[in-house]
Amino acid sequence: MTGYLFLALAVLVAVAGWEVRRRLREQTRAGVTDEVVRRIETLGRVDAEDVEPVDLELAKAEEDEFWAQTWDEPEENW
């Protein structure tokens, strides 16, 4: 009985691993195509659609807030 349970679990893990690998392979294929590479070579950049510009004032405010935080010194346990 335990052997069947182990076999079923092994099959389940194998199928899940195969599915994850398939999804990762699909994602990497969709990213950079030959067309994108040619565009980079000719234009020197890639124009992306639906990209919001960075709000520099907001980024600066968040950076200032980060650096304004106080950090506790690490305790020495000697």
Side-chain angles (χ1 to χ4, degrees), residues 40-76:
I40 292 171
E41 290 174 343
T42 57
L43 299 176
R45 67 178 192 278
V46 176
D47 295 326
E49 297 175 4
D50 301 331
V51 176
E52 296 179 22
V54 176
D55 184 357
L56 295 178
E57 292 176 10
L58 178 62
K60 173 101 173 82
E62 289 182 8
E63 181 181 4
D64 291 341
E65 180 182 333
F66 173 81
W67 289 113
Q69 293 177 5
T70 58
W71 303 97
D72 294 334
E73 293 295 322
E75 295 180 13
E76 292 186 24

Side-chain angles (χ1 to χ4, degrees), residues 1-10:
M1 182 72 176
T2 329
Y4 292 120
L5 181 61
F6 178 74
L7 180 62
L9 187 59

